[in-house]
């Protein structure tokens, strides 16, 4: 009798189990799809890729610039391109702006406590910490604003295989071109000392038209903005 009862119980269980399993499977929540993997951001152009787009010059300046006040001749033209202008020059060190241990009256004979363009808090820029470049003040040779450049505009500076993204931070003499802040020179491996630093040649400056880094003193923003504009420059030239 026990065997009959046990057999009947097993038979009922066997009949019920498939339905129970099917019911459990039906009630089990569907697995969530695997999260999509975000595409890696495109790499910024290399120094070589940028320089390849500056091999020829469509001159936009009305004449050329000297690299230094005592230079014997004017040799540097400002060249036009799609979305940018560029020039190839030397690098003199600009130490103007906020006073620091690197930039002051004792380290720089020509130190000035102001810059043409200011931080978001109204203070001058800090040449010792902020990578920026200097454009010539507007003249009959070239008016930088007519090329779509302005204070805080984005630029790429290339030297010895390195690219530094900067802002336009100051203006200089009307007849000279090729100057950047202490911080720009330091980041590029150029001697940043305002009294004996800089380099005589080999620097390419590419400034992107109608660009703006805000706030001007944020170098991280300058770098990300510049990398994007540099990619567009390489693609469109």
């Amino acid at each position: 009798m026990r065997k009959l009862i046990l057999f009947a119980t097993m038979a009922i269980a066997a009949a019920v189990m498939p339905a129970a399993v099917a019911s459990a499977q039906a009630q089990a929540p569907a697995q969530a799809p695997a999260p999509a993997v975000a595409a890696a951001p495109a790499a910024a152009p290399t120094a070589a890729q940028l320089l390849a787009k500056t091999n020829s010059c469509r001159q936009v300046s009305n004449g050329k610039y000297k690299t230094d006040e005592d230079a014997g001749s004017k040799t540097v033209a400002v060249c036009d391109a799609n979305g940018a202008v560029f020039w190839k020059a030397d690098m003199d060190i600009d130490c103007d702006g906020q006073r620091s241990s690197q930039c002051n009256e004792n380290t720089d004979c020509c130190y000035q406590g102001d810059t043409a363009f200011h931080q978001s808090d109204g203070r001058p820029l800090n040449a010792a910490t902020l990578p920026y470049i200097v454009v010539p003040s507007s003249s009959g040779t070239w008016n930088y604003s007519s090329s779509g450049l302005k204070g805080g505009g984005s630029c790429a500076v290339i030297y010895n295989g390195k690219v530094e993204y900067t802002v336009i931070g100051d203006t200089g003499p009307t007849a000279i071109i090729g100057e950047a802040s202490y911080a720009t020179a330091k980041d590029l491996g150029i001697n940043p000392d305002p009294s004996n630093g800089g380099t005589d040649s080999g620097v390419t400056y590419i400034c992107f038209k109608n660009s703006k880094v805000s706030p001007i003193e944020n170098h991280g923003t300058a770098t990300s903005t510049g990398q994007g504009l540099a990619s567009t420059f390489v693609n469109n030239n």
Side-chain angles (χ1 to χ4, degrees), residues 99-220:
R99 189 175 284 99
S100 63
S101 60
Q102 299 91 343
C103 297
N104 56 63
E105 297 88 346
N106 296 322
T107 62
D108 183 2
C109 67
C110 307
Y111 172 78
Q112 299 180 41
D114 200 6
T115 50
F117 309 108
H118 291 173
Q119 295 182 165
S120 56
D121 62 4
R123 293 193 298 164
L125 303 182
N126 188 330
T129 60
L130 180 68
Y132 68 74
I133 73 157
V134 181
V135 293
S137 296
S138 297
S139 69
T141 303
W142 180 53
N143 181 344
Y144 64 87
S145 62
S146 67
S147 290
L149 306 187
K150 55 189 172 185
S154 174
C155 302
V157 185
I158 305 152
Y159 176 75
N160 199 23
K162 295 181 180 179
V163 183
E164 176 74 355
Y165 291 99
T166 73
V167 292
I168 296 173
D170 205 359
T171 56
T174 58
I176 299 173
I177 202 167
E179 189 175 5
S181 69
Y182 181 106
T184 303
K186 182 180 178 182
D187 287 354
L188 286 170
I190 296 170
N191 180 0
D193 192 314
S195 63
N196 59 25
T199 184
D200 291 335
S201 62
V203 184
T204 299
Y205 303 79
I206 303 173
C207 289
F208 305 109
K209 298 176 181 178
N210 305 311
S211 62
K212 181 77 172 181
V213 174
S214 183
I216 188 174
E217 67 270 19
N218 190 319
H219 182 51

Side-chain angles (χ1 to χ4, degrees), residues 4-23:
L4 290 175
I5 294 172
L6 179 60
F7 179 78
T9 303
M10 291 176 64
I12 293 170
V16 171
M17 281 182 67
V21 171
S23 175

